Amino acid sequence: MEELSILFFGWWGYSDIYCYVCVKIMNDMDIKKYIWMACLVCGIAGGQAQTTHKHYEEYIKKYREIAVEEMKRYHIPASITLAQGLLESGAGQSTLARKSNNHFGIKCGGDWTGKTVKHDDDARNECFRVYKHAEESYRDHSKFLAGRSRYASLFQLKLTDYKGWAHGLKKAGYATNPRYAYQLIDIIERYNLHRYDTKDGLKWMKENPNPHQPYIANGLLYINVRAGDTWKAIAKEFDISQRKLRKYNDLYKGYELQEGDILYLEKKNRKAPKEHIVHVLRAGESLYSVSQKYGIQLKRLYKMNKMEPDDAAPQVGTILRLR
């Protein structure tokens, strides 16, 4: 008896469902039951598509504001963040998302010090990051992209260039799936996620035509001050009050920003990362410059080294504790 081959293609997870049945009849076979079975599978897939579509819409509604805020802070298109969250977490239904609040499939890596969980991915029992809540996962995703040199070129793209970002993420190795970029683009266009790159961000982009490049050091977000920068302009660009910016950077009211200054956009740490235990003071350095270099609160640096702000400046060669 000759073969009967049935080729079934199914795609679901979005608002549309595509289902094809190709039947090759060789001879003497009752093919009705095969066609019926294939159509039944299509029907089941269609039902799953409607359910998944609902999950997608609910996910977007739940996390779109967070994605827009991350865009304003880290200059990553909200559409890309949402699309990656949807794809990597199965619209929040994946085991990693439900049990570990990991919405972006970010693995542990050598710099992760938080909780972890084992999960099968490209290999069995791989290590993934665990978060307290989804918002923490979104923030870590932003820091993950901003803090790695292989993604640096993406931050030169316009916020509205979601296609460039999608292809850039794939090229930089974010995912192994060869169609990863096209999956992101398809999700963005099917759900009109690109509107979030302009809805709340359009005014922001017009007011900030040349936004600062964000960087990550010591686990903290920072920028390099450019010529002509003002407290008011930077505070407006990153939606942080001037008072908080000064406090984060241990600077007094009235300080005029200088080109090349490191300006942290979040509260500095109480101590340096574990790989930095001490620092030998060099010519031209001060406790303040050291605190900025390692992202340590200035008052903590004084306390660790049993010094007071009114003390004489430490001499070159002084060994400063950083932890």
Side-chain angles (χ1 to χ4, degrees):
M1 183 172 62
E2 300 283 354
E3 283 187 12
L4 165 70
S5 61
I6 297 177
L7 183 60
F8 166 72
F9 298 92
W11 179 298
W12 54 89
Y14 305 110
S15 56
D16 300 314
I17 181 73
Y18 303 95
C19 186
Y20 306 93
V21 179
C22 302
V23 180
K24 180 180 179 183
I25 308 169
M26 303 307 292
N27 70 21
D28 296 332
M29 288 192 68
D30 181 1
I31 65 167
K32 291 181 181 179
K33 64 179 180 180
Y34 292 99
I35 295 176
W36 178 84
M37 289 173 64
C39 289
L40 177 62
V41 173
C42 286
I44 294 172
Q48 289 178 341
Q50 292 176 359
T51 302
T52 307
H53 170 68
K54 180 182 178 181
H55 286 316
Y56 272 51
E57 294 288 5
E58 290 175 347
Y59 186 95
I60 293 165
K61 185 176 181 180
K62 186 174 183 178
Y63 295 112
R64 60 191 178 186
E65 291 184 7
I66 297 175
V68 169
E69 288 304 311
E70 292 300 301
M71 177 180 69
K72 291 180 179 179
R73 178 67 67 88
Y74 289 87
H75 302 174
I76 300 168
S79 62
I80 286 292
T81 299
L82 282 171
Q84 284 196 283
L86 284 162
L87 184 60
E88 298 288 348
S89 75
Q93 301 303 302
S94 72
T95 301
L96 271 176
R98 288 185 291 104
K99 295 186 176 181
S100 304
N101 290 312
N102 189 330
H103 285 241
F104 298 92
I106 298 179
K107 297 178 182 178
C108 297
D111 59 343
W112 180 248
T113 58
K115 291 184 178 181
T116 64
V117 66
K118 297 294 184 181
H119 186 77
D120 293 346
D121 190 49
D122 295 327
R124 289 181 60 81
N125 290 321
E126 291 193 88
C127 183
F128 286 83
R129 302 182 180 189
V130 174
Y131 305 102
K132 295 179 181 178
H133 42 69
E135 290 82 355
E136 187 180 24
S137 178
Y138 269 72
R139 176 53 53 88
D140 192 49
H141 169 261
S142 298
K143 289 186 173 184
F144 184 84
L145 296 183
R148 284 161 173 75
S149 59
R150 69 175 186 266
Y151 300 117
S153 62
L154 299 181
F155 291 88
Q156 305 303 317
L157 300 174
K158 293 182 178 179
L159 281 173
T160 51
D161 187 7
Y162 62 87
K163 291 183 179 180
W165 269 85
H167 287 291
L169 285 168
K170 174 62 186 75
K171 185 177 180 181
Y174 191 96
T176 57
N177 188 329
R179 292 194 56 78
Y180 188 74
Y182 297 102
Q183 288 178 314
L184 293 179
I185 293 169
D186 190 44
I187 293 172
I188 290 170
E189 294 180 347
R190 282 175 181 271
Y191 290 94
N192 294 315
L193 299 183
H194 43 77
R195 70 184 184 271
Y196 297 116
D197 298 337
T198 58
K199 183 180 179 182
D200 291 328
L202 183 58
K203 180 180 178 182
W204 178 86
M205 284 188 288
K206 287 181 178 178
E207 293 175 346
N208 301 280
N210 184 29
H212 289 79
Q213 165 74 57
Y215 300 97
I216 297 289
N218 308 305
L220 302 170
L221 181 69
Y222 78 94
I223 61 170
N224 290 317
V225 174
R226 301 185 301 215
D229 278 344
T230 64
W231 288 107
K232 183 178 180 180
I234 293 175
K236 190 173 184 181
E237 179 180 344
F238 290 96
D239 194 25
I240 305 173
S241 71
Q242 296 181 52
R243 184 185 65 80
K244 282 188 175 180
L245 279 175
R246 288 193 295 268
K247 185 176 181 180
Y248 291 160
N249 291 276
D250 299 304
L251 292 171
Y252 56 88
K253 188 175 182 179
Y255 176 84
E256 293 187 7
L257 293 170
Q258 305 295 317
E259 183 177 4
D261 279 351
I262 293 174
L263 199 66
Y264 287 100
L265 303 179
E266 53 191 328
K267 188 176 181 179
K268 290 189 290 184
N269 300 315
R270 292 172 59 85
K271 57 185 178 181
K274 59 184 178 181
E275 63 267 24
H276 301 295
I277 300 174
V278 297
H279 176 85
V280 179
L281 201 65
R282 301 168 185 167
E285 289 184 329
S286 64
L287 258 70
Y288 178 74
S289 66
V290 171
S291 76
Q292 291 295 93
K293 178 182 177 68
Y294 295 101
I296 308 171
Q297 297 169 27
L298 184 57
K299 64 181 181 181
R300 289 291 305 168
L301 187 60
Y302 273 110
K303 187 173 182 178
M304 281 188 286
N305 289 278
K306 299 180 180 180
M307 297 180 182
E308 297 291 339
D310 294 334
D311 292 346
Q315 298 180 350
V316 173
T318 299
I319 298 176
L320 298 174
R321 289 184 55 192
L322 303 177
R323 292 180 59 81

